[in-house]
Amino acid sequence: MSDSILARGGGRASDYLRIARPDHWIKNIFMLPGAALAMVLGQVWQPSAIGAVLAALVALCLIASANYTINEYLDAATDRFHPLKQARPGAQGRLDRRIVALQYLLLAAAGLGIAMLLGRPFLLTAWVLLGMGILYNVPPIRTKDRAYLDVLSESVNNPLRLLMGWFAIIPDALPPSSLILAYWFGGAFLMAMKRYSEYRRIGNPEMAGNYRRSFRFYTEDTLLLSSFFYALLASFLLGVFLVKYRIEYVLALPFFAALFTWYLAIALRSDSAAQAPEKLHRERRFMAFCALLGVVVAVLTFVELPFLEALMVPLRY
């Protein structure tokens, strides 16, 4: 479909590509730990597993873009109150709802079509991810307008990504529940810090409430305290998973603690990258530390440290 046709419909082709947000696909790397864990725990090393992971990633990106498409269209009126988002195509009134609806349906159908090839559990998870996009964005439920529920409902997408990575490799079993919950509350921490950064960036409670209804019930303090609560839950649950499934992973806990702390430091900056996590790759030292953490976990996966077994033996008095 040419730019001229789309222009008569209410926008340029680039506007509709932009609302699909392919630059946000970087967030879908949260799927990969699920796939890696499934390979390790399930001892799945066949070359076909790589193809399944790639197909899963494509399906995930398409469904995420479907959710982004309706997100921007339905947020058009309120995005005009945001100092940066007011330049989006929706906020500028350049979108035709018929084309938006068609784009949403095509992206969703393509994503679900690929998901069908990866088994019923993967397909069901893809449907849930698509459904969460509707609950989050579409009235009358529109969870993004409700304080705390906005963070918790959006961060559900993180464990869904984890499950999609896992089901691409092991379709007939669930990953550890402690990891699923750690992923959820870890995502809630990231989302709460994003809200905190946005709220500070706007700098005007009334304007912030016009931009996002949930901001009418938040303050900087409540957003910061809630993010601390989510971080504690995520850390505890992550510790349960690490110690339960491989005692060597306990040595990675300080690295995870440093990761949470570093992200908090980033979010506390003015005009923080936490407002747009898809741009977090510009924080090169932080990304290098994430890579180091990945290496540490990989090494501890295959290196046996028998002296740590003493930590698992209860003391007797």
Side-chain angles (χ1 to χ4, degrees), residues 128-174:
V128 173
L129 181 61
L130 203 60
M132 289 306 301
I134 294 173
L135 291 175
Y136 185 69
N137 291 292
V138 180
I141 298 177
R142 194 169 160 83
T143 59
K144 74 187 309 174
D145 288 340
R146 306 172 190 274
Y148 303 109
L149 186 58
D150 62 335
V151 168
L152 291 170
S153 61
E154 169 67 7
S155 57
V156 164
N157 293 342
N158 271 10
L160 291 176
R161 291 182 178 109
L162 175 80
L163 285 170
M164 293 175 84
W166 175 276
F167 287 142
I169 304 300
I170 301 178
D172 55 355
L174 284 169

Side-chain angles (χ1 to χ4, degrees), residues 13 21 57 139 160 162 170 198-199 271:
R21 302 182 192 172
L57 191 59
L160 291 176
L162 175 80
I170 301 178
E198 285 182 322
Y199 192 87
D271 200 18

Side-chain angles (χ1 to χ4, degrees), residues 111-128 167:
L112 292 172
I114 297 173
M116 290 178 63
L117 305 176
L118 295 169
R120 183 175 296 178
F122 187 95
L123 177 61
L124 178 60
T125 309
W127 271 110
V128 173
F167 287 142

Side-chain angles (χ1 to χ4, degrees), residues 238-275:
L238 181 63
V240 170
F241 165 73
L242 294 179
V243 173
K244 182 177 179 180
Y245 286 91
R246 186 167 176 82
I247 187 59
E248 283 78 7
Y249 285 152
V250 74
L251 298 180
L253 283 175
F255 291 88
F256 282 105
L259 188 72
F260 276 84
T261 305
W262 198 334
Y263 191 85
L264 176 61
I266 291 172
L268 290 175
R269 298 176 195 163
S270 58
D271 200 18
S272 166
Q275 295 180 61

Side-chain angles (χ1 to χ4, degrees), residues 79-87 201-202 207 211 275:
D79 279 350
R80 294 167 189 156
F81 294 98
H82 191 279
L84 300 177
K85 294 181 181 180
Q86 60 183 341
R201 174 68 173 79
I202 295 171
M207 184 176 292
Y211 157 63
Q275 295 180 61

